[in-house]
Amino acid sequence: MNKLPLKHPLTFGKKTIAELKFRDHTTAADYLSFDKRGGVAQRIALIASLTGTDEALIEQLHGPDYRAAEAMLIADDAEPDDGSTSSPRTEENPEQAAEKK
């Protein structure tokens, strides 16, 4: 389980949240968040689903904590499921390769 310590802990009701605990994998139910419109709303719902917290709590995250949680989603999505070592998202496209030359 991946843990994300919050730089700015939040109080939700009587509970203080100092870290988000992400499950090691996503499930099909987590992707129900994509029924929402707008990329940020989708990511907030997905972070809430993966950490077992309420969306209202995720909406209160300070910017750096939200971006760190968002980065954990990207890291999870970049891991190949088929045993390969490359990810289509990390491979250079021809334009990037030309820029390096």
Side-chain angles (χ1 to χ4, degrees):
M1 182 174 293
N2 296 317
K3 293 181 183 179
L4 173 65
L6 299 179
K7 293 179 182 180
H8 305 279
L10 300 173
T11 302
F12 195 67
K14 295 181 180 181
K15 188 175 182 181
T16 298
I17 308 297
E19 68 182 9
L20 295 178
K21 297 174 187 169
F22 284 78
R23 287 194 317 271
D24 291 330
H25 62 281
T26 54
T27 65
D30 293 322
Y31 289 103
L32 287 173
S33 63
F34 289 102
D35 284 344
K36 294 188 171 199
R37 297 170 80 182
V40 174
Q42 291 174 349
R43 288 187 293 278
I44 286 171
L46 185 55
I47 291 166
S49 181
L50 284 169
T51 60
T53 58
D54 194 279
E55 287 180 39
L57 174 79
I58 302 304
E59 289 172 356
Q60 294 178 35
L61 290 175
H62 287 237
D65 290 327
Y66 171 72
R67 287 190 302 276
E70 203 176 30
M72 293 185 80
L73 294 178
I74 293 167
D76 177 60
D77 202 30
E79 290 180 11
D81 291 333
D82 62 359
S84 67
T85 57
S86 66
S87 171
R89 292 183 177 189
T90 59
E91 292 176 6
E92 280 187 338
N93 66 36
E95 291 172 8
Q96 289 172 324
E99 287 176 8
K100 286 186 176 181
K101 290 182 181 180

